[in-house]
């Protein structure tokens, strides 16, 4: 199977590429720079130079592929709207190009933020909230399933953790903690974030490309909810910072995410895809020093 991946040199893209290459599939990855291309090729894939604004290139590669994994995105909160506008336009073109082909098109998204209620695969992403802009992309991906494309979503939890993570939300949190001088949590810190180890996330994405039915919404959740106070306490122990509550406004847009209780389930995903997470927990990776050393 020939698989085209946007974001192939990124955190999840690297894990997915390893799975695909190990299984004997051909990986073609979109690379924004020569350095990214080198990373893709070191994994055993083929790189094509371009970025998410290169719609003609992306559509051309999607047409040649048996399956497409869309993983490229930016964590720059200030750029969310512009990024989503570009994605939605691109997805419209991909829908025109791949209509009635049966090609797999699986995109990464995020688990819903339901403020204290366990989110399941049946819950919709809300357009409002700190990451609500991605709801438009998610809806555009699922709409492809009505056009004869095997389209679906793999919704990622707030933390996709592991050794080598330098750009995920836990890394962002540690950086903000160092700036504040406090290992931060909001309120009493009992709010929870769902989490998954990077290897488990890569494995689920691989399974989705192989066999997820059209219109699938999958949750790459290994842990339903990790208390953020425990995260802060381990960061404090590892860095020497005091752990304590902060005003979320001190953290800007990130503060909205940090303070919300947002557990998520993956029961339906595990049953449908025969997916069994086996990687270390988020707290184990924090204890290992991956985010603080």
């Amino acid at each position: 199977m020939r698989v085209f991946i946007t974001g192939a040199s990124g955190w999840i893209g690297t894990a997915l590429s390893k799975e695909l290459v190990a299984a004997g599939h051909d990986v073609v990855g979109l690379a924004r720079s020569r350095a990214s291309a080198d990373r893709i090729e070191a994994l055993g894939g083929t790189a094509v130079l371009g970025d998410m604004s290169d719609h003609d290139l992306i559509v051309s590669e999607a047409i040649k592929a048996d399956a497409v994994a869309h993983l490229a995105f930016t964590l720059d909160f200030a750029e969310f709207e512009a990024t989503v506008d570009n994605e939605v336009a691109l997805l419209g073109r991909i829908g025109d190009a791949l209509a009635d082909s049966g090609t797999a098109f699986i995109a990464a998204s995020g688990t819903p933020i339901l403020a204290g209620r366990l989110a399941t695969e049946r819950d919709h992403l809300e357009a409002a909230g700190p990451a609500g802009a991605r709801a438009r992309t998610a809806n555009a991906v699922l709409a492809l399933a009505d056009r004869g494309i095997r389209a679906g979503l793999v919704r990622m939890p707030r933390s996709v953790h592991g050794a080598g993570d330098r750009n995920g939300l836990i890394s962002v949190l540690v950086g903000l903690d160092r700036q504040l001088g406090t290992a931060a949590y909001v309120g009493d810190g009992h709010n929870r974030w769902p989490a998954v180890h990077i290897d488990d996330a890569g494995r689920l994405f691989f399974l989705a490309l192989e066999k997820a039915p059209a219109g699938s919404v999958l949750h790459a959740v290994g842990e339903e909810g990790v208390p953020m106070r425990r995260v802060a306490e381990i960061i404090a122990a590892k860095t020497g910072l005091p752990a304590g509550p902060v005003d979320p406004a001190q953290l800007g847009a990130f503060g909205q995410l940090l303070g919300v209780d947002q557990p998520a389930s993956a029961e339906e995903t595990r049953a449908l895809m025969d997916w069994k997470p086996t990687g270390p927990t988020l707290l184990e990776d924090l204890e290992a020093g991956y985010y603080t050393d």
Side-chain angles (χ1 to χ4, degrees):
M1 170 166 82
R2 178 186 174 99
V3 182
F4 175 56
I5 306 175
T6 69
S9 65
W11 183 231
I12 300 169
T14 295
L16 173 59
S17 294
K18 289 177 180 177
E19 291 275 355
L20 289 166
V21 170
H25 299 301
D26 295 327
V27 170
V28 179
L30 184 69
R32 291 188 297 175
S33 67
R34 187 64 250 172
S36 293
D38 289 344
R39 286 193 291 272
I40 293 167
E41 290 164 2
L43 294 168
T46 300
V48 290
L49 288 170
D51 60 34
M52 289 300 294
S53 68
D54 294 325
H55 291 192
D56 288 343
L57 172 64
I58 292 169
V59 169
S60 174
E61 291 298 335
I63 290 171
K64 292 185 284 187
D66 301 299
V68 179
H70 176 39
L71 295 167
F73 197 72
T74 177
L75 276 176
D76 185 345
F77 292 98
E79 297 294 327
F80 258 19
E81 289 293 342
T83 300
V84 171
D85 287 344
N86 178 67
E87 279 189 302
V88 171
L90 173 60
L91 289 167
R93 290 202 51 192
I94 286 174
D96 292 340
L98 298 184
D100 299 319
S101 67
T103 300
F105 186 96
I106 308 297
S109 187
T111 54
I113 299 174
L114 301 179
R117 183 168 72 79
L118 187 70
T120 75
E121 294 88 341
R122 296 174 186 269
D123 288 307
H124 298 290
L125 292 177
E126 295 294 334
R134 297 211 73 180
R136 287 200 291 130
T137 299
N139 291 337
V141 170
L142 293 177
L144 298 178
D146 296 327
R147 304 188 66 182
I149 300 167
R150 188 163 60 82
L153 299 172
V154 177
R155 301 203 295 205
M156 298 292 167
R158 299 297 84 76
S159 173
V160 183
H161 56 87
D165 179 13
R166 293 293 179 267
N167 298 303
L169 290 178
I170 295 298
S171 293
V172 173
L173 175 60
V174 172
L176 291 170
D177 287 347
R178 293 186 191 277
Q179 293 177 30
L180 286 173
T182 301
Y185 54 87
V186 174
D188 62 12
H190 290 164
N191 61 295
R192 297 158 292 172
W193 275 16
V196 69
H197 189 269
I198 182 60
D199 291 344
D200 292 323
R203 179 62 180 167
L204 178 58
F205 224 103
F206 171 80
L207 292 172
L209 289 170
E210 281 200 328
K211 63 181 183 180
S216 293
V217 175
L218 307 175
H219 275 191
V221 173
E223 297 177 89
E224 290 187 350
V226 182
M228 294 310 291
R229 183 163 183 161
R230 285 293 298 125
V231 170
E233 288 169 347
I234 295 175
I235 293 172
K238 291 292 182 179
T239 61
L241 297 170
V246 301
D247 180 345
Q250 292 179 271
L251 302 172
F254 190 88
Q256 299 177 60
L257 278 175
L258 182 62
V260 178
D261 188 35
Q262 46 193 292
S265 168
E267 286 189 14
E268 294 184 18
T269 297
R270 295 183 192 211
L272 177 65
M273 305 304 294
D274 192 25
W275 176 66
K276 299 174 182 177
T278 59
T281 67
L282 172 56
L283 297 185
E284 287 170 343
D285 277 352
L286 282 165
E287 290 280 13
Y290 298 146
Y291 292 89
T292 51
D293 290 348

